[in-house]
Amino acid sequence: MKTIQFREAIAEAMSEEMRRDESIYLMGEEVAEYNGAYKASKGMLDEFGPKRVIDTPIAELGFAGVAIGSTMTGNRPIVEYMTFNFSLVGIDQIINNAAKIRQMSGGQFNCPIVFRGPTASAGQLGATHSQAFENWFANTPGLKVVVPSNPYDAKGLLKAAIRDDDPVIFMESEQMYGDKGEVPEGEYILPLGVADIKREGTDVTIVSFGKIIKEAYKAADELEKEGISCEIIDLRTVRPMDRKAIVESVKKTNRLVILEEAWPFGNVATEITYLVQSEAFDYLDAPIVKINTADTPAPYSPVLLEEWLPNSNDVVKAVKKVLYK
């Protein structure tokens, strides 16, 4: 095993796959000459050249369309958005073309493409740069949505996403690029659609994904001091969702808390809540609690932002609520 940063895990995954398959290329704003806005493509221009690591204009709709079109001639592009907030400019191409090419061509064309970049908040970036759109994309048939929380998962899942023959939305975080973690020296791939039990427990199930799961770990450490055992599930892939892992855990613990950095209405936590009440209702000993951001645009003020975001104290309170403590 070796210890690397999250950004290095991303770069390694892309580089290894590009060495393996010449039809893969990377395109996006500042991915080449600048080594990536977050240095997640460092050294790739030098290795693969300007035909396979391509700097684009600030034109998300345009380069998304170019990349999607290129899949129909045998290419497997990776498109980097500087943030998924900017993907809204190109979302017509993602929803109306990438997600639908296979069906609308009667299976004549697939669309092997990865759209990747950071999601959700990252400090004081203002309302328009602090949004989480996992549920938007996951709502669309034809798209797969991956949200890793650490370097090991990021590298293994990104390699799987690049090899997938369907479009994959791969969502990272500016606040995770510097995170360090162990990854194997050799090649490995993690399958899409498989959750991971990060911490086994018996009293309550906590489901989360992405960087906000760190708050669940903090809460579980505090609750352990009080004799409360938390099982933490990292979804890793939002769509397809590992429904079995969630249901089996709830059948064991009989209680569920869901932690998600997203607005409360119609989010991923809502879907999980429906899943559990429909497939494991008789096993529940308390109502499900979901923890989300406040139902407002993200504030710029650091004091208000702290209140807006879910934190470990919110998780502790939610766990005690479902335990009637």
Side-chain angles (χ1 to χ4, degrees):
M1 302 289 280
K2 59 183 179 181
T3 300
I4 61 174
Q5 291 183 329
F6 193 104
R7 59 168 57 88
E8 294 173 302
I10 296 296
E12 283 191 6
M14 293 190 294
S15 296
E16 288 175 13
E17 292 305 300
M18 287 174 69
R19 293 180 196 120
R20 189 186 65 85
D21 184 346
E22 290 189 356
S23 69
I24 300 169
Y25 67 90
L26 171 66
M27 98 180 338
E29 296 157 5
E30 299 186 350
V31 298
E33 295 289 347
Y34 193 65
N35 287 309
Y38 313 105
K39 301 299 180 277
S41 54
K42 187 175 181 179
M44 291 179 65
L45 174 63
D46 292 339
E47 178 174 356
F48 299 105
K51 288 188 176 181
R52 296 185 67 197
V53 181
I54 305 165
D55 276 331
T56 66
I58 303 174
E60 288 82 3
L61 180 67
F63 64 76
V66 168
I68 293 166
S70 78
T71 68
M72 302 173 76
T73 59
N75 292 290
R76 306 181 72 91
I78 305 166
V79 173
E80 176 177 310
Y81 289 120
M82 198 175 294
T83 159
F84 264 97
N85 296 282
F86 300 158
S87 75
L88 300 191
V89 182
I91 201 167
D92 174 63
Q93 288 290 343
I94 299 171
I95 303 298
N96 282 329
N97 289 325
K100 296 176 174 63
I101 282 174
R102 182 189 289 273
Q103 185 196 53
M104 294 183 71
S105 69
Q108 295 178 81
F109 298 102
N110 54 14
C111 187
I113 187 170
V114 175
F115 298 96
R116 51 158 294 270
T119 183
S121 67
Q124 291 178 263
L125 297 180
T128 59
H129 288 193
S130 303
Q131 303 169 104
F133 295 118
E134 291 89 330
N135 61 316
W136 283 32
F137 292 112
N139 184 249
T140 305
L143 298 179
K144 297 177 181 178
V145 181
V146 182
V147 194
S149 66
N150 60 77
Y152 172 82
D153 288 352
K155 182 176 179 181
L157 291 167
L158 182 53
K159 287 172 71 71
I162 293 169
R163 295 188 189 191
D164 200 286
D165 286 333
D166 291 310
V168 179
I169 308 295
F170 194 92
M171 309 180 94
E172 304 153 14
S173 169
E174 293 101 327
Q175 292 181 323
M176 287 198 299
Y177 286 121
D179 289 358
K180 292 183 178 181
E182 289 189 339
V183 302
E185 291 281 357
E187 181 176 81
Y188 70 99
I189 294 178
L190 298 176
L192 304 185
V194 179
D196 189 30
I197 298 176
K198 298 297 188 186
R199 179 175 182 144
E200 294 196 354
T202 56
D203 295 327
V204 60
T205 298
I206 303 173
V207 176
S208 190
F209 57 90
K211 78 170 190 293
I212 201 69
I213 199 171
K214 296 176 185 178
E215 300 301 316
Y217 298 148
K218 293 177 191 174
D221 288 340
E222 288 300 313
L223 289 162
E224 187 177 37
K225 297 173 185 176
E226 301 180 35
I228 298 171
S229 174
C230 300
E231 180 146 296
I232 300 177
I233 296 178
D234 186 345
L235 281 184
R236 303 198 294 193
T237 305
V238 170
R239 181 166 186 163
M241 186 181 291
D242 192 345
R243 304 164 75 89
K244 182 179 178 181
I246 299 168
V247 170
E248 290 303 313
S249 179
V250 171
K251 286 181 177 180
K252 179 176 72 171
T253 66
N254 310 116
R255 293 170 174 85
L256 175 61
V257 171
I258 310 163
L259 172 64
E260 178 188 5
E261 185 182 341
W263 293 311
F265 189 89
N267 53 30
V268 175
T270 304
E271 178 67 19
I272 296 170
T273 300
Y274 176 77
L275 162 69
V276 172
Q277 70 83 28
S278 63
E279 297 189 17
F281 180 80
D282 290 340
Y283 291 88
L284 287 170
D285 287 342
I288 298 166
V289 174
K290 64 190 191 87
I291 308 166
N292 300 119
T293 67
D295 197 13
T296 70
Y300 178 76
S301 157
V303 176
L304 293 177
L305 184 63
E306 185 177 352
E307 287 296 314
W308 183 82
L309 276 169
N311 58 46
S312 60
N313 291 331
D314 297 327
V315 179
V316 169
K317 291 176 185 176
V319 167
K320 289 184 176 180
K321 181 177 181 179
V322 299
L323 288 167
Y324 301 109
K325 289 183 179 290

